[in-house]
DNA sequence: AAAGATTGAAGGTTCAATCTTA
DNA sequence: TAAGATTGAACCTTCAATCTTT
């Protein structure tokens, strides 16, 4: 059987493995390092920080739950569980509106987000941004967006 | 206060956020998509697959637990919990040796790894490799390795 | 029916404390 | 003492089933 595009073989070639392993290791390392730094400095998880800052930056304090899920790239149930935990800690409040749920940041959530931004920025710079030569950034973003949009786009 | 290298500001600039969000979204999407495809096709998680194939490819069926943790980029306790679950399912066995633990793949583990390779290769190609232009691969790998090696390297 | 959200159970990850052995 | 490994608790993620509203 022919193999014109390299898509038929039953396992990854050495070159393919090299890309895959480099990708996985880098993604895992950045996730672990940024997560550990943020949690140690602020007590928030990376997910907490993402929720709070999106509410502030995208919605001036409030978003539909579904918009929030979309902007984070999270599935509904994941966000639902996460908001349940954050609501219990007083970071956000939910109330139902037409055909959905509105999520609003609390005063405590705003304080936590504001207080955490410097540590978050420092961690992201240290573990990711500073390691990318500035002349590579634009093309990297384009590639990452292509990857994020997926095979069916 | 001066800001020579862009490292003093208390939050990410728009450009920095663009890189960080693109990175996070791409990493999350690839992880979710590959994970879902593999689990649906084989019943193994991505972690299971990584453990089994490393045992086969790097160690001809057996590795020190510590070497395995290092090659996966995992912390000790994470691997320990994972191996406990895999051992309960009969995929691997552990036995202690000089100053450590030796992990060995079982016959069932070998069968599972072999049976899963095609689905794994297909998922990785579909959700990552096919989306990277081949002329970009070498430079991407180099960048990912720089990122993985971290700020203290 | 379709979209948005929730739930519970099972599996995965982290942190700190502990244990074991060279 | 130091390195390798384990444990339990808390937290996070996934999946499938369910519920609610339009």
């Amino acid at each position: 059987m022919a193999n014109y595009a390299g898509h038929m073989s039953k396992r990854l070639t050495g070159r393919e493995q090299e890309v895959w392993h480099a990708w996985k290791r880098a993604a895992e390392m950045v996730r672990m390092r940024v997560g550990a730094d943020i949690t140690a400095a602020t007590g928030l998880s990376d997910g907490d920080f993402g929720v709070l800052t999106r509410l502030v930056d995208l919605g001036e304090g409030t978003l539909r739950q579904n918009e929030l899920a979309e902007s984070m790239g999270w599935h509904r149930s994941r966000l639902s569980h996460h908001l349940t935990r954050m609501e219990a800690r007083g970071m956000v409040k939910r109330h139902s509106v037409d055909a959905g749920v509105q999520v609003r940041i609390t005063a405590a959530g705003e304080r936590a987000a504001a207080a955490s931004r410097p540590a978050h920025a420092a961690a992201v710079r240290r573990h990711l941004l500073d390691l990318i030569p500035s002349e590579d950034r634009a093309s990297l973003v384009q590639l990452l967006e292509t990857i994020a949009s997926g095979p069916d786009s």
Side-chain angles (χ1 to χ4, degrees), chain A residues 132-140:
Chain A
I132 305 170
S134 52
E135 67 269 23
D136 294 349
R137 287 190 187 183
S139 59
L140 177 64

Side-chain angles (χ1 to χ4, degrees), chain A residues 54-122:
Chain A
R54 275 173 180 77
L55 289 172
V56 172
D57 296 345
L58 268 48
E60 300 181 349
T62 179
L63 286 172
R64 303 299 281 278
Q65 190 164 320
N66 203 33
E67 296 173 319
L68 183 53
E70 162 56 29
S71 86
M72 313 247 331
W74 282 12
H75 286 150
R76 287 185 175 72
S77 77
R78 180 176 176 185
L79 181 60
S80 183
H81 282 301
H82 204 99
L83 290 179
T84 298
R85 294 189 297 267
M86 291 183 76
E87 201 168 17
R89 287 184 292 139
M91 303 267 110
V92 298
K93 278 178 61 174
R94 284 187 275 201
H95 55 273
S96 64
V97 294
D98 283 2
V101 171
Q102 193 81 17
V103 185
R104 179 176 298 280
I105 195 170
T106 62
E110 285 180 353
R111 283 193 299 275
S116 301
R117 294 217 197 237
H120 181 265

Side-chain angles (χ1 to χ4, degrees), chain A residues 121-134 137:
Chain A
V124 171
R125 289 189 183 119
R126 174 169 164 76
H127 299 300
L128 182 69
L129 300 173
D130 289 353
L131 305 174
I132 305 170
S134 52
R137 287 190 187 183

